[in-house]
Amino acid sequence: MPYTVNKLNGYSATVLDKAFADLRDAFRDEAVCVSDLVQFKAHRDRWLARKNGVLTLVRELWLREAPAEARAEVGKRFNDVKSHIEGLVKTQGMDLELRKLEGSISKRIETVDEWKQAELGDPLDITLPGIRRPIGAEHPVIKTMNEMIGVFRNLGYSVEEGPEIETDFYNFEALNFPPNHPARDTQDTLFIAGQESKPLRDRLLLRTHTSPVQIRTMQKMKPPVRVVCPGKVHRNDAPDATHSPIFHQIEGLAVDTNITFCDLKGTLDHAMKAMFGSSVKTRFYPSFFPFTEPSADVQISCIFCDGKGTRDGAPCRNCKASGWIELLGCGMVDPNVYGFVDYDATKVSGFAFGMGVERIAILKYGVDDIQLFFQGDVRFLEQFG
Ligand code: DAH
């Protein structure tokens, strides 16, 4: 016969002693029958449920009904038995959880039914689909870089990389930037602090361009050399829509016998057509870099107005109505540079070029703010998937 709560017939100490003792015994008798989590939860709810739980009924039928003079005594006994029962329920619950855990660890579970058995009360449905992780998209800068590298790989170029923390020697001196030469100022260099005690050439800085990788490559390889060098570069530039203190470049270098400016023009014209479409034209505009002589800036015909300078009857904003967009620097390797890497300037010749990856990506994908590449906003990045 399961225990039921009945009204008390009297409030004498003897009646109360017996009623509360029966209550405890009933709880204990039922508790010892509990052997798994499902039974435990049913037992717990039968005794502790706010609505119609045994203890709630005891409060209503014994405590509320008690005459004023017996109320304190009944209240005290009620609180005692309540905390006694709550304590036992908690301990028993934890014990069962623990046993369940130990059971599932020590026993090998081999079938779905065994799983369901082991997970009684807290079932794990292993037939439900798992949590799907979205596949990331290649970052537009890396994507552009890989595309450009692919164009040069197809021409037989290999890939070389160099450190982002460079010495003055590789970033400047060996590239024919004399000390205190104004060309150094155009690089907005970020210097590593505390280098003053070293000789100038050993002082560390964040590389301002990928050109130092030309030097490192020529130091370890003899001609013929055909390499592209992708990587991150740093400049002390305030960020705005077209500038970022960190950006990426791809450097190119080809050194062999009898390499001419014609080879340079043909190579870059091909690369620009491969990147922007075969109708794009290139133009080589005189420029200056300390490590190339002669030097040139390469312009491509404007991809927005097809080189016309006007679009829909208005001046084209992308090329400032000129029909041309400046894209990269290049030139024939200055013979002075060969002197720093022990190449014989009377026997070899070569060309070099360097381009900004973000700038190419901006044009290719019509991005209007370079900062978007560095903010990591998924809404922007997922468009390149
Ligand atoms: N290093 C130059 C810069 O960042 C770009 C450059 C120009 C690289 C001409 C070259 C080159 O290799 O020949 O401003």
Side-chain angles (χ1 to χ4, degrees):
M1 246 308 261
Y3 179 80
T4 50
V5 187
N6 297 314
K7 282 194 175 182
L8 295 176
N9 45 8
Y11 282 87
S12 67
T14 338
V15 171
L16 290 181
D17 282 347
K18 175 151 185 356
F20 277 100
D22 288 350
L23 185 66
R24 277 176 193 244
D25 289 351
F27 173 80
R28 189 206 52 220
D29 291 348
E30 290 182 21
V32 294
C33 297
V34 167
S35 63
D36 65 33
L37 272 176
V38 175
Q39 292 172 5
F40 165 76
K41 283 175 183 167
H43 174 246
R44 178 195 62 193
D45 293 345
R46 167 166 151 72
W47 283 81
L48 296 179
R50 272 171 204 279
K51 215 173 144 190
N52 295 329
V54 171
L55 287 185
T56 301
L57 295 177
V58 167
R59 187 194 287 116
E60 279 166 13
L61 294 179
W62 296 0
L63 186 57
R64 291 258 166 78
E65 301 280 312
E69 65 276 10
R71 182 134 328 136
E73 189 53 33
V74 181
K76 185 181 162 301
R77 287 169 192 251
F78 176 76
N79 287 339
D80 283 351
V81 81
K82 182 167 177 277
S83 54
H84 171 76
I85 287 176
E86 282 174 350
L88 287 175
V89 165
K90 198 170 163 200
T91 315
Q92 189 178 32
M94 289 194 301
D95 186 50
L96 281 165
E97 287 284 359
L98 197 67
R99 269 199 271 156
K100 183 183 123 185
L101 271 182
E102 284 169 349
S104 57
I105 290 166
S106 59
K107 183 176 170 296
R108 265 186 67 194
I109 296 168
E110 280 162 337
T111 66
V112 173
D113 280 335
E114 281 174 5
W115 254 111
K116 288 187 174 159
Q117 197 66 32
E119 291 292 334
L120 269 180
D122 186 13
L124 169 75
D125 184 350
I126 61 164
T127 65
L128 286 174
I131 297 164
R132 203 180 287 271
R133 284 179 191 276
I135 297 172
E138 201 174 26
H139 191 281
V141 169
I142 301 301
K143 188 179 167 126
T144 307
M145 204 140 114
N146 286 338
E147 246 177 81
M148 189 60 91
I149 290 170
V151 169
F152 284 96
R153 268 192 189 281
N154 289 343
L155 294 175
Y157 285 64
S158 51
V159 178
E160 284 293 323
E161 287 179 299
E164 275 175 60
I165 297 177
E166 263 300 5
T167 58
D168 185 278
F169 175 79
Y170 286 107
N171 199 77
F172 291 125
E173 187 180 336
L175 288 162
N176 201 32
F177 288 78
N180 303 317
H181 192 280
R184 287 178 175 237
D185 302 344
T186 65
Q187 298 273 323
D188 297 307
T189 312
L190 290 158
F191 296 95
I192 307 280
Q195 304 285 302
E196 294 76 9
S197 61
K198 295 182 181 170
L200 178 64
R201 55 162 52 194
D202 298 334
R203 293 185 197 166
L204 298 173
L205 44 81
L206 297 182
R207 70 176 178 195
T208 58
H209 51 179
T210 42
S211 303
V213 191
Q214 289 187 34
I215 305 300
R216 291 183 175 275
T217 304
M218 288 189 281
Q219 279 183 337
K220 68 175 191 199
M221 291 186 207
K222 291 289 153 211
V225 164
R226 280 176 183 75
V227 289
V228 279
C229 322
K232 211 173 269 173
V233 302
H234 304 254
R235 292 195 190 179
N236 186 16
D237 265 336
D240 64 24
T242 54
H243 294 84
S244 165
I246 299 178
F247 59 104
H248 298 78
Q249 288 187 335
I250 297 176
E251 192 80 15
L253 175 71
V255 183
D256 205 337
T257 48
N258 299 320
I259 293 216
T260 68
F261 202 92
C262 266
D263 299 313
L264 170 60
K265 285 187 79 171
T267 302
L268 290 180
D269 186 72
H270 167 80
M272 294 303 109
K273 285 182 163 65
M275 277 308 271
F276 294 102
S278 55
S279 61
V280 152
K281 296 186 183 65
T282 52
R283 179 165 94 164
F284 290 71
Y285 202 84
S287 183
F288 173 79
F289 300 100
F291 41 92
T292 44
E293 182 60 31
S295 303
D297 285 328
V298 180
Q299 304 174 343
I300 60 166
S301 53
C302 180
I303 51 176
F304 300 97
C305 65
D306 288 332
K308 292 200 260 309
T310 57
R311 211 162 114 202
D312 305 326
C316 177
R317 286 195 293 135
N318 297 90
C319 62
K320 301 206 183 85
S322 71
W324 295 96
I325 292 178
E326 199 171 294
L327 215 50
L328 59 115
C330 67
M332 301 307 291
V333 177
D334 191 306
N336 284 351
V337 172
Y338 295 133
F340 286 99
V341 295
D342 280 335
Y343 275 19
D344 186 345
T346 63
K347 295 212 170 97
V348 294
S349 60
F351 62 75
F353 56 87
M355 54 191 129
V357 182
E358 283 80 0
R359 176 140 174 74
I360 292 169
I362 279 173
L363 291 173
K364 225 175 131 59
Y365 298 113
V367 175
D368 59 9
D369 186 349
I370 195 175
Q371 301 305 324
L372 287 164
F373 293 129
F374 305 105
Q375 286 162 347
D377 188 328
V378 174
R379 291 166 302 178
F380 171 71
L381 297 174
E382 69 188 359
Q383 298 176 56
F384 300 91

